[in-house]
Amino acid sequence: MRTIGLIGGMSWESSAEYYRLLNELVRERLGGLHSARCVLHSVDFAEIEEFQRAGEWERAGDVLAAAAKGLEAAGADLVLICTNTMHKVADQVAAAVSVPLLHLGDATAGAVRARGIRRVGLLGTAFTMEQDFYRDRLRSHGLEVVTPDADDRALVHRVIYEELCLGVVRDESRAAYQEVISRLVEEGGAEGVILGCTEIELLIRQEHSPVPVFPTTRLHAEAAVTAALA
């Protein structure tokens, strides 16, 4: 079994989900007392969030690249950035290490295509929904990507940073997200919806959507376990 390196802490709420999923998936596949070989570098999210707000992505990338180097030195055979938004600096992180970086967007796009879906809605932080780094990665796999309108994007972003990243899960916010998803389907023609922020899975599950949802944390963890056991 290869060792999985995790760049986490963005937020630690979703990083805890990564750890749980990796170990559950390894146990499911190998049985018995097996668990995942992994090392975790958990950053201080407040520092990263300041860089995000200021648009200082290269400085944020420096922090994550240093984390990746530490994971490789600790024995990681592959590296995961445990957040969709910070895949904006994925190339910078990948260039810092000699082991593979398993891109979350690739794992997600593969799952979408496997369901025969081509037009997909994208929920995430404002950075993920509005900038090209993530949408273009999905489009490179032949997907059409639709995002909510400006008001809905602001709502989705606010709930992520002011609630989910703090471990707050509110029924009112779930209902609001369900309305956003309905509009993506009815007005945007989305055949499925990517939960393109690792915290959204704390709020939305398949039963909350009329179309297939793609939980990126789980999909990333599944891809990592497959690579680790290959």
Side-chain angles (χ1 to χ4, degrees), residues 2-12 14-23 36-43 63-64 66-72 74-83 93 99-102 104 217 220-225 228:
R2 296 186 178 99
T3 299
I4 301 167
L6 306 168
I7 306 175
M10 300 166 286
S11 68
W12 69 260
S14 64
S15 299
E17 285 295 293
Y18 266 94
Y19 184 74
R20 179 183 64 81
L21 286 166
L22 289 171
N23 284 290
R37 287 180 178 161
C38 57
V39 288
L40 167 66
H41 182 118
S42 190
V43 304
V63 174
L64 269 59
K69 289 179 182 178
L71 292 172
E72 183 175 20
D77 298 301
L78 65 154
V79 171
L80 278 63
I81 303 173
C82 300
T83 158
V93 175
V99 296
L101 174 72
L102 189 61
L104 197 158
T217 303
H220 207 194
E222 289 174 350
V225 169

Side-chain angles (χ1 to χ4, degrees), residues 196-211:
C197 173
T198 51
E199 283 81 19
I200 294 179
E201 286 156 72
L202 302 174
L203 186 69
I204 295 295
R205 295 185 294 275
Q206 182 57 64
E207 61 262 33
H208 302 131
S209 171
V211 295

